[in-house]
Amino acid sequence: MSTVETERTPAYLTTLPGDDVRQIMWRFADRYDLQMLVQSSRTVARGPVARVVAEGGRNTHEWSAAKQSLLQAYDDAGLTTLSVEPEYGGFITGPKNMAMALAAFELAWVDGGAATSSLATHLALAPIHEKGTAEQCSKYMGGCVPPRPGENRPHLRGAFALTEPIPFAGVQTRSLAGKVRVEAWNEGEEPLLRVEKRGRFITNMDFANFVTAAVDSDDERIKGSCMVILEEGDPGTFDRGAATRKLVHQLSSTRDPIFNMVVPASRIIGGYTIQDGVIVPNVDHNEVIRAVFRRTRVTVGLMTAAKLVSAIEPVIRYHRNRFRGGPSETPGSPRYELGLQQKEDVLHRLIEVWATGEASASLGFATARFFDDFDPLDHRREEIFETHEIPEGRAGLRALNQVIPQAVEFVELSGRPAAVRDGARYEELAGDELIEFLVGDALANVLCPACKLWNTGHGATMMREAVSLMGGYGITEDCPGFLGQKWMDAQLEATYEGPEAVQRRQLSLTMTNEIFLAQFGQWILELRRIAGRRPGTGACTLASAMELWLWTIRRLQKAKDADGKALYGDKRQGVTFPLADALCWLLASRFQILDVLELEEKTAGSEGEEATEAMQGLVHFFSDLAHTQAARAAGEVDRICTDLLYGYNRHPHWDSEYAFPRGDLESLETVMPGIAACSERDAIDEDGSHAPKAGPCVRFAGMETFQALRAKLGGCGTGSGLAKDRAAHALANVMIPEAQDYPA
Amino acid sequence: MAGFHIVVCGGMVPDPLQSLEPVVGPDGPALKNEAMLPMVLDPWAAHSLYEAAHLAAHAPGSKVWLVSLGPKARLQQLMMSIAQKVSFELVALDGAAGGFSDAYEIARALAEAIEGIPDLDRTRLLLFGGCASAARDAGVTMSMVAERLGLTEQFLGVDMLETDGDRLRIKERVEGGRYRISECDAPPAMLAWATGTLPIPPNNPQLGMQNMRSIMPALARAKSIPLGSGDVAFGAVERPVQRRETRVVKDMPPEDIAREIVAWMREG
């Protein structure tokens, strides 16, 4: 008897991923506080915020009643208290990076300005949260909680004032023009300080009643720089200034304020001591900024990621419905049912937008989670350094350098299976908090700028692609999903809280940290293992691209250009910046693959056959999306590394040692048979003529490994086109809601 | 006055924005991709929940339970938004929620669950729910639950409830676009709500965190309810026919627009 096996089509994408899927991929399935926060943020975003945008609320620079009404909506939804500790009236315990990231993602799904507006209060509170005294935390964090019915107290709303240069005024962003002096200092009383600060591009300034401002000492009785808290009622000038005429993020308030106020010294964030008659702030402004931006930049990166993912549904709907309603389009015909989705190009391009959105969301949320994990240790930095007797300044750096080899050893041991590594040594290193801190710090210093740089910079480029997929509709106010506005908003996200050049510069310094590079090496091995058990995710392609990048950076760190100048250095931004860009592609793709694996693992036992199959379908689709993105990342890395490694060598000329007089070649042929044939095209005839080309061909001594890695990488892209085809085909079949769930 | 013990029956339905396509599955009729469709609390039942919370807030000693039947995992997702809106205690039942289950079976499961609520004072009971469900629109489930619980005072299509101590004054929709106002001396009673008068409450994360302390254990102990179409056979299921006739008109008075739409509908 013969049996006939019917081949069953593997499950694939049937509907757009819902909350249950995202909670698993972004690892908050066990955090009910975060799940509720997502729902709250979404209600505000797709309700009041979307209505204000649809009604043209963005079409003015001024702070309107409609924009003001959104503050109440944020309050009602609990978004205002997001960063506040429970003891002061907040509702989320522990680090809040993931919470801020999710709220920003949901708000920016509709409007980036709304996300910025909602989060700016947290930015104002962040210096106090990170470094403030207990009294400052109590007063300002508690004050930012909306008063309950019957509670008679002012509701504090803050602004964060760091940016200050006026265009063309010759002021550098790294120096502070804001000044603080001693106004009065009576015996036995607290000193009074005069603070002068001109802010620029300061968010929330239309309604903020307190400001955390960065200032430098202009008085020998105050040491260094600090951040101070200014209140609207303090004596002096609290001028909100002119509204910034920005073209983007119009739902956030932005003005250029002027402050000239007298405040008690207790407003110095983190407090102060008096040493030899000098006020010494406990924390200088750089420390505060470092602690604040390290976290908030991740949130900005996720705002652009949300834009990309939010574009998928409106674009699919537009493409499908493109020809419906026409006189000759009948239901059931391909033109009626699929519209523009009949064309491969639009499907492929949308897959690239979606893959980028997924990769940037994966990178952003992974970074936010990382900071949630790292925060407790990071906040104990000074205590850990003290325990290990690490001094301040250069001596401290020297002392830390002594520990780096142990940290590298720990990273390498961590990557090995427990059964084969030196368990005792591993335990010894794992128990050392300084090593743990250094490893975390090395990752933080790469992940944060990478997320901000790639998500916003490349995200803005891909947002343009999404807009183009809507045709002329895309650049109208009527475009569903507000895609045109999102495209422009993305440009601001690439700029504020440190523009792309700042992120690239930071990466060019931090990505050569030996601890990070050791971790990077472990990630390559990890991806190979993943590829072994789970082919089809692009893990192998990505691992090959990472090997190429690692080889390149090692080479460039030692290499010199044709003029003998070192290639890798602070001033060689033509080298370091592209290499930083390449790294970002790799990191985003890695986290995307890990998220797919997480979904696969956690949904293996979904309740019910239908649910299991649907989840498996999503896993297959997301695998193809990850594979597509990995191939794209590999292509970028290949291009950048090749440009950098070859581009700084000078091409040989016909009068160089690489060109052979034909007569010499013929003589050599007698002792080295075959050389004439090999070098034929590099030969110069007696009359000086030569083959029609720029010069003798380039020799590649020392580049054999690179060429082998590159050749291998090209082959590693095998199958990525098929993955893209499958994913694109699914777009023409996926079920989407009948209408968008927010107005347009 | 000791307040009311308000039990709200509220199921979940697919988000109304979704395209719903009926299919015949191995267990009978179902919705295409049902397991992946986003779900919301049934709109009429949601109104009754908000009314219940409002009443409880103004009647000291009152308490609200939400009895909900649906796939457990989906119920958990739903609770992330519902739990932030009003204070209640969840009684979860794990079963299908596709709209093809028989109203009689659902009513039996709900009534049994209500009978099992500890500390429920049946003499103070106000049974709330939607006058119909957005999924099935049977319009009989609440009456069946009430009958099983022995509640003879039943009001359908309720839009307003006023209380004076134990006394209830109820405004319900009747035929012809009119209201009937009834008075009831005291609970127990069943009120199947239409839209009520209250807006959707804003989300309150603090309240949500408080509710989740009891919701998660309730979900963990949710009883499995086998629901099928029983002996009911569905001959065919299909989507309503859509018609689209687009015309761009400017500056047309709303009255004329309304008149034209009514005429168009009558034609159809």
mmCIF file of all heavy atoms in Angstrom, chain A residues 14-15 23 32-33 35-36 40 43 76-77 89 91 610 614 618 735-738 741, chain B residues 17-19 33-37 76-77 80-81 84 202-203 205-206 208-209 212 216 242:
data_model
loop_
_atom_site.group_PDB
_atom_site.id
_atom_site.type_symbol
_atom_site.label_atom_id
_atom_site.label_comp_id
_atom_site.label_asym_id
_atom_site.label_seq_id
_atom_site.Cartn_x
_atom_site.Cartn_y
_atom_site.Cartn_z
ATOM 1 N N THR A 14 -0.256 36.191 8.753
ATOM 2 C CA THR A 14 -1.688 36.291 8.429
ATOM 3 C C THR A 14 -2.274 37.635 8.841
ATOM 4 O O THR A 14 -3.107 38.198 8.157
ATOM 5 C CB THR A 14 -2.482 35.168 9.120
ATOM 6 O OG1 THR A 14 -2.174 35.199 10.521
ATOM 7 C CG2 THR A 14 -2.150 33.811 8.543
ATOM 8 N N THR A 15 -1.846 38.123 10.013
ATOM 9 C CA THR A 15 -2.304 39.437 10.473
ATOM 10 C C THR A 15 -1.087 40.239 10.933
ATOM 11 O O THR A 15 -0.012 39.675 11.156
ATOM 12 C CB THR A 15 -3.255 39.318 11.682
ATOM 13 O OG1 THR A 15 -2.568 38.638 12.727
ATOM 14 C CG2 THR A 15 -4.514 38.557 11.335
ATOM 15 N N GLN A 23 4.976 42.143 23.167
ATOM 16 C CA GLN A 23 5.372 41.954 24.571
ATOM 17 C C GLN A 23 6.437 40.872 24.702
ATOM 18 O O GLN A 23 7.324 40.966 25.554
ATOM 19 C CB GLN A 23 4.150 41.572 25.407
ATOM 20 C CG GLN A 23 3.190 42.720 25.631
ATOM 21 C CD GLN A 23 1.808 42.262 26.012
ATOM 22 O OE1 GLN A 23 1.589 41.098 26.332
ATOM 23 N NE2 GLN A 23 0.853 43.173 25.987
ATOM 24 N N TYR A 32 3.272 43.916 33.906
ATOM 25 C CA TYR A 32 1.916 44.423 33.700
ATOM 26 C C TYR A 32 1.879 45.946 33.756
ATOM 27 O O TYR A 32 1.069 46.582 33.101
ATOM 28 C CB TYR A 32 0.963 43.819 34.727
ATOM 29 C CG TYR A 32 1.088 42.321 34.752
ATOM 30 C CD1 TYR A 32 1.427 41.638 35.904
ATOM 31 C CD2 TYR A 32 0.915 41.596 33.574
ATOM 32 C CE1 TYR A 32 1.593 40.263 35.894
ATOM 33 C CE2 TYR A 32 1.075 40.229 33.552
ATOM 34 C CZ TYR A 32 1.418 39.564 34.716
ATOM 35 O OH TYR A 32 1.586 38.216 34.690
ATOM 36 N N ASP A 33 2.799 46.504 34.549
ATOM 37 C CA ASP A 33 2.835 47.969 34.609
ATOM 38 C C ASP A 33 3.167 48.543 33.228
ATOM 39 O O ASP A 33 2.562 49.518 32.777
ATOM 40 C CB ASP A 33 3.849 48.446 35.658
ATOM 41 C CG ASP A 33 5.211 47.778 35.512
ATOM 42 O OD1 ASP A 33 5.324 46.807 34.736
ATOM 43 O OD2 ASP A 33 6.163 48.225 36.173
ATOM 44 N N GLN A 35 2.715 46.965 30.307
ATOM 45 C CA GLN A 35 1.625 46.670 29.363
ATOM 46 C C GLN A 35 0.497 47.694 29.506
ATOM 47 O O GLN A 35 -0.096 48.132 28.520
ATOM 48 C CB GLN A 35 1.095 45.263 29.616
ATOM 49 C CG GLN A 35 2.098 44.189 29.240
ATOM 50 C CD GLN A 35 1.621 42.797 29.599
ATOM 51 O OE1 GLN A 35 0.431 42.522 29.619
ATOM 52 N NE2 GLN A 35 2.549 41.911 29.894
ATOM 53 N N MET A 36 0.225 48.065 30.737
ATOM 54 C CA MET A 36 -0.826 49.074 30.947
ATOM 55 C C MET A 36 -0.376 50.437 30.436
ATOM 56 O O MET A 36 -1.163 51.195 29.889
ATOM 57 C CB MET A 36 -1.200 49.134 32.430
ATOM 58 C CG MET A 36 -2.042 47.946 32.841
ATOM 59 S SD MET A 36 -2.768 48.128 34.441
ATOM 60 C CE MET A 36 -1.355 47.919 35.465
ATOM 61 N N SER A 40 -2.268 52.942 27.882
ATOM 62 C CA SER A 40 -2.548 54.349 28.227
ATOM 63 C C SER A 40 -1.976 55.279 27.183
ATOM 64 O O SER A 40 -2.648 56.202 26.709
ATOM 65 C CB SER A 40 -1.919 54.706 29.578
ATOM 66 O OG SER A 40 -2.568 54.043 30.588
ATOM 67 N N THR A 43 -3.893 55.120 23.943
ATOM 68 C CA THR A 43 -5.193 55.796 23.993
ATOM 69 C C THR A 43 -5.020 57.293 23.772
ATOM 70 O O THR A 43 -5.789 57.921 23.048
ATOM 71 C CB THR A 43 -5.856 55.539 25.364
ATOM 72 O OG1 THR A 43 -5.901 54.133 25.573
ATOM 73 C CG2 THR A 43 -7.255 56.104 25.407
ATOM 74 N N ASP A 76 -3.897 62.690 32.650
ATOM 75 C CA ASP A 76 -4.972 61.721 32.919
ATOM 76 C C ASP A 76 -4.516 60.294 32.659
ATOM 77 O O ASP A 76 -4.965 59.355 33.316
ATOM 78 C CB ASP A 76 -6.195 62.032 32.042
ATOM 79 C CG ASP A 76 -6.896 63.309 32.469
ATOM 80 O OD1 ASP A 76 -6.622 63.783 33.592
ATOM 81 O OD2 ASP A 76 -7.697 63.844 31.678
ATOM 82 N N ALA A 77 -3.639 60.149 31.672
ATOM 83 C CA ALA A 77 -3.195 58.796 31.307
ATOM 84 C C ALA A 77 -2.044 58.298 32.174
ATOM 85 O O ALA A 77 -1.592 57.171 32.014
ATOM 86 C CB ALA A 77 -2.776 58.777 29.852
ATOM 87 N N GLY A 89 4.742 59.435 44.286
ATOM 88 C CA GLY A 89 3.463 59.450 43.569
ATOM 89 C C GLY A 89 3.486 58.774 42.217
ATOM 90 O O GLY A 89 2.480 58.779 41.509
ATOM 91 N N PHE A 91 4.132 55.297 39.631
ATOM 92 C CA PHE A 91 3.547 53.963 39.716
ATOM 93 C C PHE A 91 4.472 52.866 39.189
ATOM 94 O O PHE A 91 4.116 51.699 39.204
ATOM 95 C CB PHE A 91 2.207 53.916 38.983
ATOM 96 C CG PHE A 91 2.297 54.169 37.501
ATOM 97 C CD1 PHE A 91 2.309 53.111 36.611
ATOM 98 C CD2 PHE A 91 2.367 55.454 37.003
ATOM 99 C CE1 PHE A 91 2.399 53.339 35.242
ATOM 100 C CE2 PHE A 91 2.447 55.691 35.637
ATOM 101 C CZ PHE A 91 2.469 54.640 34.757
ATOM 102 N N GLU A 610 -4.604 26.846 16.718
ATOM 103 C CA GLU A 610 -4.665 27.986 15.813
ATOM 104 C C GLU A 610 -3.676 29.071 16.241
ATOM 105 O O GLU A 610 -2.972 29.655 15.426
ATOM 106 C CB GLU A 610 -6.081 28.551 15.776
ATOM 107 C CG GLU A 610 -6.253 29.568 14.674
ATOM 108 C CD GLU A 610 -7.516 30.407 14.850
ATOM 109 O OE1 GLU A 610 -8.295 30.135 15.782
ATOM 110 O OE2 GLU A 610 -7.685 31.344 14.076
ATOM 111 N N ALA A 614 -0.525 30.453 14.153
ATOM 112 C CA ALA A 614 -0.432 31.881 13.814
ATOM 113 C C ALA A 614 0.894 32.456 14.279
ATOM 114 O O ALA A 614 1.546 33.228 13.577
ATOM 115 C CB ALA A 614 -1.600 32.624 14.448
ATOM 116 N N LEU A 618 4.120 34.044 12.159
ATOM 117 C CA LEU A 618 4.800 35.314 12.415
ATOM 118 C C LEU A 618 6.302 35.114 12.555
ATOM 119 O O LEU A 618 7.096 35.923 12.085
ATOM 120 C CB LEU A 618 4.248 35.941 13.696
ATOM 121 C CG LEU A 618 3.138 36.962 13.503
ATOM 122 C CD1 LEU A 618 2.530 37.341 14.832
ATOM 123 C CD2 LEU A 618 3.648 38.207 12.792
ATOM 124 N N MET A 735 -3.829 40.248 6.457
ATOM 125 C CA MET A 735 -5.112 40.868 6.799
ATOM 126 C C MET A 735 -4.837 42.142 7.595
ATOM 127 O O MET A 735 -4.078 42.119 8.559
ATOM 128 C CB MET A 735 -5.863 39.868 7.669
ATOM 129 C CG MET A 735 -7.270 40.207 7.969
ATOM 130 S SD MET A 735 -8.018 38.695 8.651
ATOM 131 C CE MET A 735 -9.070 39.414 9.863
ATOM 132 N N ILE A 736 -5.425 43.227 7.152
ATOM 133 C CA ILE A 736 -5.254 44.482 7.900
ATOM 134 C C ILE A 736 -6.629 45.001 8.306
ATOM 135 O O ILE A 736 -7.630 44.634 7.693
ATOM 136 C CB ILE A 736 -4.495 45.554 7.074
ATOM 137 C CG1 ILE A 736 -5.274 45.901 5.807
ATOM 138 C CG2 ILE A 736 -3.088 45.108 6.753
ATOM 139 C CD1 ILE A 736 -4.757 47.140 5.111
ATOM 140 N N PRO A 737 -6.685 45.855 9.314
ATOM 141 C CA PRO A 737 -7.985 46.407 9.700
ATOM 142 C C PRO A 737 -8.627 47.176 8.550
ATOM 143 O O PRO A 737 -7.930 47.687 7.662
ATOM 144 C CB PRO A 737 -7.647 47.342 10.861
ATOM 145 C CG PRO A 737 -6.326 46.895 11.359
ATOM 146 C CD PRO A 737 -5.610 46.314 10.189
ATOM 147 N N GLU A 738 -9.939 47.236 8.591
ATOM 148 C CA GLU A 738 -10.697 47.923 7.539
ATOM 149 C C GLU A 738 -10.324 49.398 7.476
ATOM 150 O O GLU A 738 -10.303 50.003 6.409
ATOM 151 C CB GLU A 738 -12.198 47.777 7.836
ATOM 152 C CG GLU A 738 -13.106 48.070 6.687
ATOM 153 C CD GLU A 738 -13.020 47.009 5.591
ATOM 154 O OE1 GLU A 738 -12.603 45.862 5.870
ATOM 155 O OE2 GLU A 738 -13.349 47.347 4.462
ATOM 156 N N ASP A 741 -6.818 53.080 12.965
ATOM 157 C CA ASP A 741 -7.440 53.298 14.279
ATOM 158 C C ASP A 741 -7.150 54.682 14.848
ATOM 159 O O ASP A 741 -7.290 54.898 16.041
ATOM 160 C CB ASP A 741 -7.030 52.195 15.262
ATOM 161 C CG ASP A 741 -5.543 52.181 15.556
ATOM 162 O OD1 ASP A 741 -4.806 52.936 14.881
ATOM 163 O OD2 ASP A 741 -5.119 51.424 16.447
ATOM 164 N N LEU B 17 -12.679 47.718 14.020
ATOM 165 C CA LEU B 17 -12.003 48.189 12.807
ATOM 166 C C LEU B 17 -11.498 47.038 11.938
ATOM 167 O O LEU B 17 -11.129 47.228 10.793
ATOM 168 C CB LEU B 17 -10.804 49.068 13.184
ATOM 169 C CG LEU B 17 -11.131 50.448 13.729
ATOM 170 C CD1 LEU B 17 -9.865 51.124 14.209
ATOM 171 C CD2 LEU B 17 -11.808 51.294 12.675
ATOM 172 N N GLN B 18 -11.479 45.836 12.506
ATOM 173 C CA GLN B 18 -10.925 44.701 11.761
ATOM 174 C C GLN B 18 -11.885 44.220 10.681
ATOM 175 O O GLN B 18 -13.105 44.305 10.838
ATOM 176 C CB GLN B 18 -10.645 43.537 12.722
ATOM 177 C CG GLN B 18 -9.551 43.813 13.715
ATOM 178 C CD GLN B 18 -8.187 43.917 13.057
ATOM 179 O OE1 GLN B 18 -7.912 43.262 12.067
ATOM 180 N NE2 GLN B 18 -7.337 44.757 13.601
ATOM 181 N N SER B 19 -11.314 43.688 9.627
ATOM 182 C CA SER B 19 -12.148 43.019 8.620
ATOM 183 C C SER B 19 -12.391 41.612 9.141
ATOM 184 O O SER B 19 -11.444 40.881 9.377
ATOM 185 C CB SER B 19 -11.413 42.905 7.291
ATOM 186 O OG SER B 19 -10.677 44.045 7.047
ATOM 187 N N ASN B 33 -8.378 33.965 11.149
ATOM 188 C CA ASN B 33 -7.288 34.502 11.975
ATOM 189 C C ASN B 33 -7.759 34.953 13.355
ATOM 190 O O ASN B 33 -7.249 35.906 13.919
ATOM 191 C CB ASN B 33 -6.598 35.682 11.282
ATOM 192 C CG ASN B 33 -6.009 35.299 9.952
ATOM 193 O OD1 ASN B 33 -5.572 34.165 9.780
ATOM 194 N ND2 ASN B 33 -6.022 36.211 9.007
ATOM 195 N N GLU B 34 -8.765 34.261 13.881
ATOM 196 C CA GLU B 34 -9.378 34.707 15.130
ATOM 197 C C GLU B 34 -8.362 34.846 16.261
ATOM 198 O O GLU B 34 -8.434 35.762 17.071
ATOM 199 C CB GLU B 34 -10.473 33.720 15.528
ATOM 200 C CG GLU B 34 -11.323 34.196 16.689
ATOM 201 C CD GLU B 34 -12.485 33.240 16.944
ATOM 202 O OE1 GLU B 34 -13.077 32.756 15.973
ATOM 203 O OE2 GLU B 34 -12.781 32.997 18.124
ATOM 204 N N ALA B 35 -7.397 33.918 16.282
ATOM 205 C CA ALA B 35 -6.441 33.916 17.384
ATOM 206 C C ALA B 35 -5.552 35.151 17.382
ATOM 207 O O ALA B 35 -4.956 35.490 18.395
ATOM 208 C CB ALA B 35 -5.570 32.662 17.315
ATOM 209 N N MET B 36 -5.450 35.819 16.241
ATOM 210 C CA MET B 36 -4.544 36.968 16.164
ATOM 211 C C MET B 36 -5.281 38.305 16.107
ATOM 212 O O MET B 36 -4.649 39.359 16.039
ATOM 213 C CB MET B 36 -3.659 36.837 14.916
ATOM 214 C CG MET B 36 -2.808 35.592 14.869
ATOM 215 S SD MET B 36 -1.675 35.467 16.245
ATOM 216 C CE MET B 36 -0.417 36.611 15.715
ATOM 217 N N LEU B 37 -6.597 38.264 16.112
ATOM 218 C CA LEU B 37 -7.334 39.525 15.999
ATOM 219 C C LEU B 37 -7.267 40.305 17.312
ATOM 220 O O LEU B 37 -7.448 39.722 18.379
ATOM 221 C CB LEU B 37 -8.809 39.254 15.668
ATOM 222 C CG LEU B 37 -9.119 38.724 14.276
ATOM 223 C CD1 LEU B 37 -10.603 38.401 14.155
ATOM 224 C CD2 LEU B 37 -8.726 39.753 13.226
ATOM 225 N N GLN B 76 -6.329 38.358 29.325
ATOM 226 C CA GLN B 76 -5.238 39.037 30.029
ATOM 227 C C GLN B 76 -4.823 40.301 29.281
ATOM 228 O O GLN B 76 -4.611 41.350 29.880
ATOM 229 C CB GLN B 76 -4.051 38.082 30.169
ATOM 230 C CG GLN B 76 -2.927 38.676 30.994
ATOM 231 C CD GLN B 76 -1.799 37.684 31.203
ATOM 232 O OE1 GLN B 76 -2.040 36.497 31.390
ATOM 233 N NE2 GLN B 76 -0.576 38.168 31.169
ATOM 234 N N GLN B 77 -4.721 40.194 27.961
ATOM 235 C CA GLN B 77 -4.370 41.374 27.160
ATOM 236 C C GLN B 77 -5.416 42.464 27.335
ATOM 237 O O GLN B 77 -5.094 43.643 27.489
ATOM 238 C CB GLN B 77 -4.289 40.993 25.670
ATOM 239 C CG GLN B 77 -3.137 40.083 25.320
ATOM 240 C CD GLN B 77 -1.798 40.748 25.556
ATOM 241 O OE1 GLN B 77 -1.656 41.938 25.330
ATOM 242 N NE2 GLN B 77 -0.830 39.999 26.042
ATOM 243 N N MET B 80 -5.335 44.717 30.415
ATOM 244 C CA MET B 80 -4.308 45.754 30.533
ATOM 245 C C MET B 80 -4.874 47.148 30.287
ATOM 246 O O MET B 80 -4.350 48.132 30.777
ATOM 247 C CB MET B 80 -3.159 45.493 29.548
ATOM 248 C CG MET B 80 -2.388 44.247 29.849
ATOM 249 S SD MET B 80 -1.815 44.228 31.546
ATOM 250 C CE MET B 80 -1.705 42.482 31.844
ATOM 251 N N SER B 81 -5.934 47.228 29.517
ATOM 252 C CA SER B 81 -6.547 48.548 29.351
ATOM 253 C C SER B 81 -7.781 48.696 30.239
ATOM 254 O O SER B 81 -7.970 49.742 30.860
ATOM 255 C CB SER B 81 -6.899 48.812 27.883
ATOM 256 O OG SER B 81 -7.663 47.763 27.366
ATOM 257 N N GLN B 84 -7.390 49.679 33.953
ATOM 258 C CA GLN B 84 -6.973 51.047 34.284
ATOM 259 C C GLN B 84 -8.150 52.009 34.355
ATOM 260 O O GLN B 84 -7.985 53.166 34.713
ATOM 261 C CB GLN B 84 -6.013 51.562 33.216
ATOM 262 C CG GLN B 84 -4.726 50.798 33.158
ATOM 263 C CD GLN B 84 -3.740 51.492 32.252
ATOM 264 O OE1 GLN B 84 -3.271 52.576 32.550
ATOM 265 N NE2 GLN B 84 -3.440 50.885 31.142
ATOM 266 N N PRO B 202 -10.908 57.931 31.610
ATOM 267 C CA PRO B 202 -9.488 57.946 31.202
ATOM 268 C C PRO B 202 -8.720 56.824 31.900
ATOM 269 O O PRO B 202 -9.149 56.329 32.942
ATOM 270 C CB PRO B 202 -9.000 59.324 31.684
ATOM 271 C CG PRO B 202 -9.936 59.709 32.768
ATOM 272 C CD PRO B 202 -11.257 59.070 32.456
ATOM 273 N N ASN B 203 -7.606 56.436 31.297
ATOM 274 C CA ASN B 203 -6.794 55.389 31.917
ATOM 275 C C ASN B 203 -6.106 55.919 33.171
ATOM 276 O O ASN B 203 -5.640 57.056 33.191
ATOM 277 C CB ASN B 203 -5.716 54.908 30.945
ATOM 278 C CG ASN B 203 -6.300 54.045 29.857
ATOM 279 O OD1 ASN B 203 -7.466 53.694 29.898
ATOM 280 N ND2 ASN B 203 -5.489 53.711 28.877
ATOM 281 N N PRO B 205 -3.157 54.472 35.501
ATOM 282 C CA PRO B 205 -2.231 53.357 35.732
ATOM 283 C C PRO B 205 -2.161 52.909 37.197
ATOM 284 O O PRO B 205 -2.017 51.718 37.468
ATOM 285 C CB PRO B 205 -0.884 53.911 35.280
ATOM 286 C CG PRO B 205 -1.181 55.103 34.452
ATOM 287 C CD PRO B 205 -2.480 55.641 34.929
ATOM 288 N N GLN B 206 -2.289 53.878 38.103
ATOM 289 C CA GLN B 206 -2.256 53.481 39.519
ATOM 290 C C GLN B 206 -3.403 52.532 39.849
ATOM 291 O O GLN B 206 -3.220 51.521 40.524
ATOM 292 C CB GLN B 206 -2.333 54.706 40.443
ATOM 293 C CG GLN B 206 -1.030 55.470 40.548
ATOM 294 C CD GLN B 206 -0.951 56.613 39.547
ATOM 295 O OE1 GLN B 206 -1.683 56.644 38.568
ATOM 296 N NE2 GLN B 206 -0.053 57.552 39.792
ATOM 297 N N GLY B 208 -4.909 50.706 37.717
ATOM 298 C CA GLY B 208 -4.626 49.470 37.001
ATOM 299 C C GLY B 208 -3.735 48.543 37.815
ATOM 300 O O GLY B 208 -4.003 47.346 37.934
ATOM 301 N N MET B 209 -2.687 49.117 38.392
ATOM 302 C CA MET B 209 -1.772 48.299 39.198
ATOM 303 C C MET B 209 -2.514 47.683 40.379
ATOM 304 O O MET B 209 -2.281 46.530 40.743
ATOM 305 C CB MET B 209 -0.613 49.159 39.705
ATOM 306 C CG MET B 209 0.330 49.645 38.618
ATOM 307 S SD MET B 209 1.087 48.307 37.711
ATOM 308 C CE MET B 209 2.216 47.664 38.921
ATOM 309 N N MET B 212 -4.729 44.866 39.123
ATOM 310 C CA MET B 212 -4.000 43.692 38.645
ATOM 311 C C MET B 212 -3.655 42.725 39.765
ATOM 312 O O MET B 212 -3.458 41.537 39.518
ATOM 313 C CB MET B 212 -2.715 44.118 37.920
ATOM 314 C CG MET B 212 -2.925 44.794 36.576
ATOM 315 S SD MET B 212 -4.058 43.943 35.482
ATOM 316 C CE MET B 212 -3.060 42.571 34.989
ATOM 317 N N MET B 216 -4.734 39.034 38.120
ATOM 318 C CA MET B 216 -3.842 37.947 37.713
ATOM 319 C C MET B 216 -4.187 36.623 38.408
ATOM 320 O O MET B 216 -4.262 35.587 37.743
ATOM 321 C CB MET B 216 -2.371 38.329 37.961
ATOM 322 C CG MET B 216 -1.883 39.458 37.076
ATOM 323 S SD MET B 216 -2.301 39.264 35.329
ATOM 324 C CE MET B 216 -1.346 37.824 34.904
ATOM 325 N N GLN B 242 -20.718 45.119 0.786
ATOM 326 C CA GLN B 242 -20.345 46.529 0.905
ATOM 327 C C GLN B 242 -20.641 47.246 -0.396
ATOM 328 O O GLN B 242 -20.415 46.703 -1.475
ATOM 329 C CB GLN B 242 -18.858 46.657 1.204
ATOM 330 C CG GLN B 242 -18.476 46.120 2.566
ATOM 331 C CD GLN B 242 -17.002 46.346 2.834
ATOM 332 O OE1 GLN B 242 -16.442 47.344 2.423
ATOM 333 N NE2 GLN B 242 -16.383 45.419 3.528
#
